[in-house]
């Protein structure tokens, strides 16, 4: 018998919907186009006010609270609402805070400092500059969507029974996204997972739907990953691949080579990528490989995707350890196949010879049931000797063939278990 080599089944990721466009709303942050003013109160003066930092002079050892007022956009996290600190013995205080991606415009710091001489308040406006997210360094957070509370603007019906799948996806993304982004970008990019105030949030929905990267009309962005696609449940590993894919839509893919949905129109293999990654991450549909106990999805950007994202001097991807193991295993299986292919005709010929010798021996036995004359017996003995010698050779060949089959089956099992 021959071992049957398993061929991986292609599973398609859920279709990635075109980016949504949502009308902006106002949050009450200052929107004047003139130069932002800075005011002073007796004993309290702002010396610097920018998005992400403020410096002031007040009475020594005063405690100061700063409210940060900006328009975070429809999908944006925005900065923290407040920061606080204590002035030094000279009355100086400098504070900084996370300044994630938000729509450009103006914001305001409202400051209140309190000390022995009482409370004083002032404010300082600042410009929110136009910012472009950079794949070399940005922040994201992963947020599970509550199936009861839902998510603003999300109309999909959510299912409480899918909360365990949601939590598994959240845990996997949180545990691997930073390293996977570095690997996907060949160590050119960096993403930092934060608890709040991210450049773009990834929401994980306990429901069935098409995972999507949405950009509002004000430029703010978010990602929604569903744990069930049109093709069935999404594994935690697949959820990481989807998150990479949707993050890739921040920069890719646009222009003549891409469709209106942000995917390449033509699947072009990257000569330096192999296996499931050979077409990169931004094709549609994205094909995964599934096998016994594993699911392997593309998680590496192609050269053209990295260039679209703004990277230059792109290095070759590091060797894939799975493919490095797969190549020798496949070669050994191929070598054993050749051995089995050469051995099988010889065994078949032996079987034919044994059948022929057996028929001649039995013919003499039937012809001389009560004993053979000397010449017939000599012929009979010669045939029996030939049969026995050939049978020993045949059994040896069959044993060797079966041993080779066992080796091939064991190697094939290892080959089929590789997630690549």
């Amino acid at each position: 018998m021959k071992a049957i080599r398993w061929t991986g089944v292609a599973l398609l990721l859920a279709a990635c919907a075109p980016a949504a466009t949502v009308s902006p709303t106002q949050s009450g942050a200052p929107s004047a186009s003139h130069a932002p003013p800075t005011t002073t109160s007796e004993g309290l003066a702002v010396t610097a006010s920018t998005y992400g930092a403020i410096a002031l002079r007040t009475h020594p050892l005063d405690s100061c609270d700063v409210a940060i007022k900006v328009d975070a956009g429809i999908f944006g996290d925005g900065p923290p609402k407040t920061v606080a600190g204590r002035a030094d013995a000279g009355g100086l205080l400098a504070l900084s805070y996370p300044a994630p991606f938000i729509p450009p415009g103006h914001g305001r710091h409202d400051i209140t400092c309190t000390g022995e001489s009482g409370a004083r308040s002032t404010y300082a406006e600042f410009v929110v500059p136009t910012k472009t997210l950079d794949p070399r360094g940005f922040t994201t957070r992963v947020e599970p969507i509550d199936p009861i509370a839902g998510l603003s603007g999300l109309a999909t019906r959510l299912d409480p029974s899918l909360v365990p799948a949601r939590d598994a996806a959240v845990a996997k993304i949180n545990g691997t996204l930073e390293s996977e982004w570095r690997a996907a970008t060949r160590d050119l990019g960096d993403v930092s997972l934060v608890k709040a105030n991210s450049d773009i949030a990834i929401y994980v929905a306990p429901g069935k739907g098409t995972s999507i990267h949405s950009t509002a009309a004000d430029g703010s962005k978010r990602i929604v990953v569903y744990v069930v696609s049109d093709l069935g449940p999404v594994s935690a590993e697949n959820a990481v691949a989807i998150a990479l894919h949707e993050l890739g839509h921040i920069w890719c893919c646009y222009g003549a080579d891409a469709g209106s949905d942000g995917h390449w129109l033509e699947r072009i293999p990257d000569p330096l990528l192999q296996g499931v990654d050979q077409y990169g991450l931004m094709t549609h549909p994205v094909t995964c490989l599934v096998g016994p106990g594993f699911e392997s999805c593309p998680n590496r950007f192609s050269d053209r995707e990295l260039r679209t994202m703004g990277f230059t001097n792109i290095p070759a991807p590091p060797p894939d350890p799975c493919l490095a193991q797969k190549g020798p295993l496949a070669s050994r299986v191929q070598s054993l196949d050749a051995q089995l292919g050469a051995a099988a005709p010889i065994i078949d010929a032996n079987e034919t010879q044994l059948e022929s010798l057996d028929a001649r021996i039995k013919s003499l036995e039937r012809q001389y049931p009560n004993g053979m004359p000397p010449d017939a017996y000599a012929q009979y003995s010669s045939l029996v000797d030939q049969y026995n010698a050939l049978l020993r050779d045949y059994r040896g060949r069959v044993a060797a063939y079966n041993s080779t089959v066992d080796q091939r089956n064991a190697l094939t099992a290892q080959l089929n278990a590789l997630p690549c």
Side-chain angles (χ1 to χ4, degrees):
M1 65 177 178
K2 291 188 177 182
I4 298 175
R5 183 177 179 184
W6 170 85
T7 301
V9 180
L11 173 66
L12 303 183
L13 287 177
C16 181
T21 300
V22 184
S23 298
T25 59
Q26 296 299 320
S27 65
S31 58
S33 59
H34 55 76
T38 297
T39 67
T40 61
S41 179
E42 183 179 354
L44 174 60
V46 176
T47 57
S49 177
T50 61
Y51 179 46
I54 183 170
L56 54 89
R57 181 182 294 107
T58 184
H59 291 186
L61 305 181
D62 270 4
S63 294
C64 299
D65 295 302
V66 179
I68 305 157
K69 297 185 177 181
V70 297
D71 179 3
I74 292 176
F75 295 144
D77 279 353
K81 300 297 183 183
T82 60
V83 290
R86 190 179 187 188
D88 63 16
L92 300 179
L93 175 62
L95 297 171
S96 62
Y97 54 86
F101 175 83
I102 61 174
H106 288 91
R108 190 174 71 194
H109 291 130
D110 286 349
I111 308 107
T112 299
C113 291
T114 306
E116 292 183 357
S117 59
R120 293 163 305 285
S121 298
T122 188
Y123 74 92
E125 292 191 2
F126 55 86
V127 173
V128 178
T130 299
K131 179 180 178 181
T132 301
L133 290 181
D134 189 340
R136 293 172 297 182
F138 66 101
T139 61
T140 187
R141 65 180 176 87
V142 185
E143 182 78 19
I145 300 177
D146 183 89
I148 305 302
L151 178 67
S152 175
L154 191 69
T156 306
R157 180 178 175 273
L158 302 179
D159 184 350
S161 71
L162 295 175
V163 165
R166 177 205 66 184
D167 292 345
V170 168
K172 192 69 174 179
I173 296 172
N174 273 325
T176 63
L177 185 64
E178 290 182 343
S179 60
E180 285 296 320
W181 183 260
R182 286 192 295 272
T185 59
R186 307 182 194 180
D187 285 329
L188 297 173
D190 185 68
V191 60
S192 297
L193 285 165
V194 295
K195 297 294 185 182
N197 313 119
S198 66
D199 290 318
I200 181 170
I202 299 173
Y203 295 91
V204 182
K208 177 181 178 181
T210 300
S211 297
I212 186 171
H213 168 279
S214 299
T215 300
D218 59 24
S220 59
K221 304 170 183 294
R222 76 179 181 191
I223 289 169
V224 177
V225 175
Y226 290 91
V227 298
V228 179
S229 73
D230 292 338
L231 299 171
V234 172
S235 69
E237 291 78 8
N238 196 346
V240 177
I242 292 173
L244 290 171
H245 175 95
E246 298 301 340
L247 286 172
H249 275 310
I250 298 174
W251 306 275
C252 188
C253 307
Y254 309 101
D257 296 333
S260 59
D261 60 355
H263 300 104
W264 298 121
L265 293 173
E266 183 180 0
R267 290 161 59 91
I268 300 176
D270 187 316
L272 298 180
L273 294 176
Q274 296 177 298
V276 73
D277 293 314
Q278 64 178 323
Y279 297 110
L281 262 167
M282 305 309 295
T283 60
H284 175 72
V286 178
T287 304
C288 299
L289 185 68
V290 295
F294 76 83
E295 179 178 21
S296 179
C297 298
N299 56 9
R300 300 292 182 265
F301 291 111
S302 66
D303 183 275
R304 67 169 171 168
E305 289 161 358
L306 292 172
R307 294 191 184 282
T308 299
M309 294 163 72
F311 292 117
T312 57
N313 299 321
I314 299 169
D320 187 323
C322 180
L323 292 173
Q325 186 179 1
K326 182 177 183 178
L329 282 174
S331 295
R332 292 171 64 188
V333 169
Q334 187 176 15
S335 176
L336 292 176
D337 281 343
Q339 294 179 39
L340 292 172
I346 297 175
I347 293 174
D348 291 342
N350 284 169
E351 289 178 347
T352 300
Q353 289 178 275
L354 287 171
E355 290 171 357
S356 176
L357 289 170
D358 183 64
R360 293 171 66 186
I361 290 169
K362 289 178 178 177
S363 176
L364 287 171
E365 290 174 344
R366 288 192 300 270
Q367 187 177 355
Y368 302 102
N370 298 319
M372 299 179 187
D375 58 338
Y377 184 75
Q379 181 185 8
Y380 177 82
S381 296
S382 176
L383 290 172
V384 170
D385 289 343
Q386 293 177 56
Y387 183 89
N388 288 336
L390 184 59
L391 181 61
R392 286 191 296 272
D393 182 69
Y394 171 79
R395 286 174 175 170
R397 291 181 183 276
V398 169
Y401 184 93
N402 289 337
S403 176
T404 302
V405 168
D406 289 341
Q407 293 179 55
R408 185 196 185 282
N409 285 342
L411 291 173
T412 302
Q414 295 179 48
L415 189 62
N416 290 343
L418 294 176
C420 57

